């Protein structure tokens, strides 16, 4: 009976060691998940800054297009007033209109790029949240494994004491 208790104490100790190793591995995995979540957060922040910059550039392009449109309107008024320079002013007005249209197209492209960047930033943010949740779950699992290892260690200690008492 003493020998059996001793063997049971050794087995319990080995099981406690295995549980402790598993808890350590779970803790390392939780730490890695936390680092990955932090990296994803930094990438989301960078994407958000890029989206903000694209939006500002789109706004500037819109303002420039509006200015070009006003200049085209002024050129039209000048065409109506000055008959001698009507042809030149008309050509200049047409050029201004084309430039305004090009600026509007560029502004629209910049706006689409800003929207795409914003969507990418949102996707990155969701990935950060998912990674954070996974890291939290891994942390909880590591904590549970640690508690189980502690319980196994206590059980091994109790078995050892019982073996010693039986001896």
């Amino acid at each position: 009976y003493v020998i059996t208790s001793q063997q049971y104490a050794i087995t319990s100790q080995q099981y406690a060691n295995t549980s402790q190793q598993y808890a350590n591995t779970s803790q390392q995995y939780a730490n890695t998940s936390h680092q990955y979540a932090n990296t994803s957060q930094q990438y989301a922040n960078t994407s958000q800054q890029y989206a903000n910059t694209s939006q500002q550039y789109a706004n500037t392009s819109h303002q420039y297009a509006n200015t070009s449109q006003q200049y085209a309107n002024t050129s039209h008024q000048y065409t109506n007033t000055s008959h001698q320079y009507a042809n030149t002013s008309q050509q200049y007005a047409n050029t201004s209109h084309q430039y305004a249209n090009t600026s509007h197209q560029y502004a629209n492209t910049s706006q689409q790029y800003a929207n795409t960047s914003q969507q990418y930033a949102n996707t990155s943010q969701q990935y950060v949240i998912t990674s954070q949740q996974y890291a939290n779950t891994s942390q909880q699992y590591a904590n549970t494994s640690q508690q189980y290892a502690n319980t196994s260690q206590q059980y091994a200690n109790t078995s050892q004491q019982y073996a010693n008492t039986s001896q």
Side-chain angles (χ1 to χ4, degrees):
Y1 186 72
V2 173
I3 294 173
T4 301
S5 297
Q6 185 65 43
Q7 290 176 344
Y8 191 74
I10 293 171
T11 301
S12 297
Q13 183 63 52
Q14 291 174 345
Y15 191 74
N17 292 338
T18 301
S19 297
Q20 184 63 52
Q21 290 175 350
Y22 192 74
N24 292 338
T25 301
S26 297
Q27 184 63 52
Q28 290 175 351
Y29 192 74
N31 291 338
T32 301
S33 297
H34 276 299
Q35 291 175 350
Y36 192 73
N38 291 335
T39 301
S40 297
Q41 182 66 55
Q42 291 174 350
Y43 192 73
N45 291 338
T46 301
S47 298
Q48 184 64 52
Q49 290 175 351
Y50 193 72
N52 292 338
T53 301
S54 297
Q55 183 64 51
Q56 290 175 351
Y57 192 74
N59 292 337
T60 302
S61 296
H62 275 301
Q63 291 174 351
Y64 193 74
N66 291 333
T67 301
S68 297
Q69 186 64 51
Q70 290 174 353
Y71 193 75
N73 292 336
T74 302
S75 296
H76 274 300
Q77 292 174 355
Y78 190 77
T79 298
N80 293 331
T81 302
S82 302
H83 289 290
Q84 294 176 353
Y85 297 98
N87 292 332
T88 302
S89 295
Q90 187 62 51
Q91 290 175 354
Y92 192 77
N94 291 336
T95 301
S96 296
H97 272 301
Q98 291 175 352
Y99 192 75
N101 291 334
T102 300
S103 296
H104 272 300
Q105 290 174 351
Y106 191 76
N108 291 334
T109 300
S110 297
Q111 185 65 51
Q112 290 174 352
Y113 191 76
N115 292 338
T116 301
S117 297
Q118 185 64 51
Q119 290 174 352
Y120 191 76
N122 292 338
T123 301
S124 297
Q125 187 63 44
Q126 290 175 352
Y127 191 75
V128 168
I129 292 171
T130 301
S131 298
Q132 188 63 47
Q133 290 173 347
Y134 191 75
N136 291 336
T137 301
S138 297
Q139 185 64 51
Q140 290 174 353
Y141 192 74
N143 292 338
T144 302
S145 297
Q146 184 64 51
Q147 291 174 352
Y148 192 75
N150 292 338
T151 301
S152 297
Q153 183 65 50
Q154 290 174 353
Y155 192 74
N157 292 337
T158 301
S159 297
Q160 184 63 51
Q161 290 175 353
Y162 189 75
N164 293 336
T165 302
S166 297
Q167 184 70 39

